[in-house]
Amino acid sequence: MGLRPVLLNRRMAGIASTSFALVLGVATVGLLPAATTTASPVAAAVTADEVCADPTGTLARAKGGSAVEHDPNQLTLAQVHQREAEFADILQERAKRVGQRTLTTQAAAASVTIPVVVHVIRRDTTRAGGNIPDSMIQSQINVLNQSFSGATGGAATAFAFQLQSINRVTNSSWYPIRQGSTAERQMKTQLRQGNKSTLNIYLGALSNNLLGWATFPQNSLNVMDGVVVLSESLPGGTATNYNQGDTGTHEVGHWLNLYHTFQGGCSGSGDQVGDTPAEASPASGCPTGRDTCSSSGLDPITNFMDYSYDGCMYQFTAGQATRMINAWNAYRAA
């Protein structure tokens, strides 16, 4: 399925053109071949200076075709069962308190406004050092609002996003941001603001060819809670094929309790959402007509929770919208 016109209009709105070239280093995301790869195991080895985060609480997005050193893309079946059992227990307890009808009914569009705090992690005050302009951040908030409202062609969800503040931090020991590292924990411990309903987004150069990662919601607030996104993946950035803001949309989907569309492959309950067809592995590029599972439906390559190019993604499903609002009420609502 091609790029819908409304999506193209959304991408271009309010985005300043730039000819800035992405400065590449050993830990920054480079331009990689458009080839599909399966995710690395959750328990992949880490380098000596890294402390692996709880794999049941973190998901990441990598560029299609990349081989990452530490990429908790998919949870094991046991980890999914554990999370889903906990989620079901919380929903059952909430049903006893407020009534079952409130748990399975899609909330009105944009009925929840999420405050957003953005932390720009930079090596220095240059663009090459991670100091992206405010205009790119505002464009990212616009992309979130359009994606989650259904304006790009998918199902409307309950969520809208309001930028609360931008916090710029110059700290070379946090740049690039290394997933699962002691430095990441120190950074978030010092910077995170708000309660469980506050979305903290950390922007910068990232390690291990990752575009971003996010935490799942939990019963109690964890200092690691939030979303990390490659700064040059924001609208107007320099990450070719991944610079229209959909890494942010993808990671916020995880923060609201969505799995990847390819979670679990072709077997079992997959991503736990009934209206996203099963998918054996992450998509790369925009492979129209891709069908990797024998069950009905083509691969959901246009879904925000796949690994397709940004230009290919435009939708959440109604089932995903319901799962997100149920998770919000279970974990993040005040």
Side-chain angles (χ1 to χ4, degrees), residues 1 69 98 121 128 137 176 185 188 197 203 225-226 233 264 284 288 290 294 299 304 306:
M1 185 175 296
E69 182 178 313
V98 300
I121 310 303
I137 295 170
R185 179 170 290 276
K188 291 182 174 179
S197 65
L203 304 176
D225 182 76
S233 75
S284 180
T288 302
R290 186 176 190 253
S294 60
D299 290 358
F304 289 121
D306 206 341

Side-chain angles (χ1 to χ4, degrees), residues 83-95 97-98 102-104 112 159 196-197 216-221 255-257 322-334:
R83 283 199 53 84
E84 292 307 302
E86 175 192 82
F87 188 24
D89 287 345
I90 293 173
L91 291 178
Q92 186 175 19
E93 287 300 315
R94 181 174 171 83
R97 297 195 307 269
V98 300
T102 65
L103 300 181
T104 57
V112 176
F159 303 101
K196 289 193 293 184
S197 65
F216 282 118
Q218 299 181 25
N219 268 326
S220 58
L221 179 60
W255 189 77
L256 292 169
N257 211 38
T322 296
R323 179 176 171 86
M324 285 189 281
I325 189 57
N326 283 345
W328 179 268
N329 289 332
Y331 293 107
R332 297 196 180 278

Side-chain angles (χ1 to χ4, degrees), residues 212-238:
W213 61 85
T215 55
F216 282 118
Q218 299 181 25
N219 268 326
S220 58
L221 179 60
N222 188 314
V223 70
M224 299 299 285
D225 182 76
V227 165
V228 179
V229 173
L230 176 70
S231 56
E232 292 295 344
S233 75
L234 269 60
T238 58

